[in-house]
Amino acid sequence: MPKDIIIAIDGHSGFGKSSTAKSVAHALNYTYIDSGAMYRAVTLYLIRQQLDVSDIEAVKAALDQITISFTIKDGVGPPLYETYVNGENVEREIRGMAISDKVSEVSAIPQVRKAMVSQQRNMSANKRVVMDGRDIGTNVFPNAELKVFMTADLHERAYRRQKELKERGVSTALSDIVENLAERDQFDSTRRENPLVKAEDAVEIDTTNLKFNEQVAQVVALAQKAMQTS
Ligand code: DC
């Protein structure tokens, strides 16, 4: 009997990490949780409230007002995941550059991280979860049965992110995406709270020269092995 496991997928922004995680979850009949979407949702809420993010008391009060949820729509191919804040579908808005420009700053706030990590753990109480992010293998699930650390060359990532945005109907200059990704890499990897680092026991996959299906297949194979041996 294969064991139920938690699959933690961490890595930089913008090379299809989330799409990979979604397809892996679909292939295994597991639930996918997009932890980045949760930080984006908080960022959107704080921006809308015109809140000064350095005012920690105000941020803490705001966190109590935010309920984040996901819906899953089945169709052809991997299901469509959409993010909701207090019942409103914010999926499109949280992917825009206004949020991307601010989300690293918001996700570095310790109180924000604490609140999100607690929700992420609650959402995964029954295992059978694929969660992607920056600190999943190092902080959210240090005992995850499978940890994967995915990377890709910066320009390749920017190109893939541009394509993904275009598919969502958002057109953005490649140079803006390169700049945003490079800034976020730097910020996410050097912040004090749970920086993006590879967990010691994570399997690293460089996807620069891999096709999408190949990167999915590699993770699925690792997961199937972990289900037998964990
Ligand atoms: O995966 P993404 O690009 O949607 O993530 C948005 C931001 O959220 C990213 O710049 C860093 C932050 N993040 C984080 O700090 N921890 C996570 N587990 C996931 C995302």
Side-chain angles (χ1 to χ4, degrees):
M1 232 336 234
K3 286 228 174 85
D4 290 343
I5 64 169
I6 289 183
I7 303 170
I9 303 185
D10 289 303
H12 295 107
S13 318
F15 56 89
K17 183 179 57 183
S18 295
S19 307
T20 304
K22 274 178 212 164
S23 290
V24 169
H26 183 59
L28 300 171
N29 201 17
Y30 271 35
T31 301
Y32 164 67
I33 299 172
D34 180 349
S35 70
M38 299 171 73
Y39 292 100
R40 288 174 179 271
V42 172
T43 305
L44 173 69
Y45 186 89
L46 299 182
I47 288 178
R48 281 188 180 171
Q49 299 293 313
Q50 298 183 340
L51 226 144
D52 172 5
V53 298
S54 62
D55 180 347
I56 295 306
E57 286 311 313
V59 170
K60 276 201 317 210
L63 284 167
D64 289 338
Q65 306 297 318
I66 308 176
T67 303
I68 300 170
S69 54
F70 297 104
T71 57
I72 307 171
K73 277 192 212 133
D74 282 314
V76 183
L80 194 66
Y81 289 83
E82 297 196 311
T83 312
Y84 284 70
V85 173
N86 298 338
E88 177 191 348
N89 184 338
V90 294
E91 183 57 36
R92 203 182 134 84
E93 213 175 332
I94 61 169
R95 306 295 166 187
M97 288 303 271
I99 303 300
S100 296
D101 281 341
K102 191 89 182 157
V103 64
S104 280
E105 186 185 344
V106 171
S107 62
I109 301 171
Q111 288 76 4
V112 171
R113 301 206 69 77
K114 198 164 163 242
M116 292 306 108
V117 168
S118 147
Q119 288 196 27
Q120 288 153 12
R121 289 184 181 143
N122 286 339
M123 288 172 171
S124 314
N126 296 325
K127 299 206 175 188
R128 298 183 63 86
V129 152
V130 180
M131 190 178 295
D132 77 331
R134 305 292 185 289
D135 64 334
I136 310 306
T138 50
N139 176 47
V140 183
F141 297 118
N143 297 322
E145 289 82 357
L146 174 63
K147 300 179 186 177
V148 179
F149 189 85
M150 299 182 86
T151 60
D153 167 81
L154 175 64
H155 283 85
E156 176 65 21
R157 286 193 276 139
Y159 173 72
R160 292 189 202 174
R161 172 56 62 98
Q162 187 188 43
K163 202 165 147 234
E164 186 194 316
L165 286 170
K166 203 169 167 194
E167 280 162 14
R168 292 171 181 270
V170 183
S171 129
T172 313
L174 196 64
S175 56
D176 286 350
I177 300 177
V178 169
E179 197 181 321
N180 175 267
L181 289 179
E183 265 176 27
R184 282 202 288 148
D185 284 359
Q186 168 70 10
F187 200 97
D188 295 343
S189 307
T190 55
R191 70 178 175 218
R192 263 176 56 166
E193 290 282 322
N194 319 131
L196 168 65
V197 284
K198 176 181 168 293
E200 260 179 32
D201 50 350
V203 180
E204 184 163 342
I205 302 180
D206 183 338
T207 71
T208 309
N209 296 311
L210 290 182
K211 295 204 176 72
F212 180 73
N213 289 349
E214 294 169 334
Q215 64 196 48
V216 173
Q218 285 200 10
V219 182
V220 168
L222 289 168
Q224 281 163 342
K225 197 168 148 211
M227 286 174 192
Q228 301 303 333
T229 55
S230 299

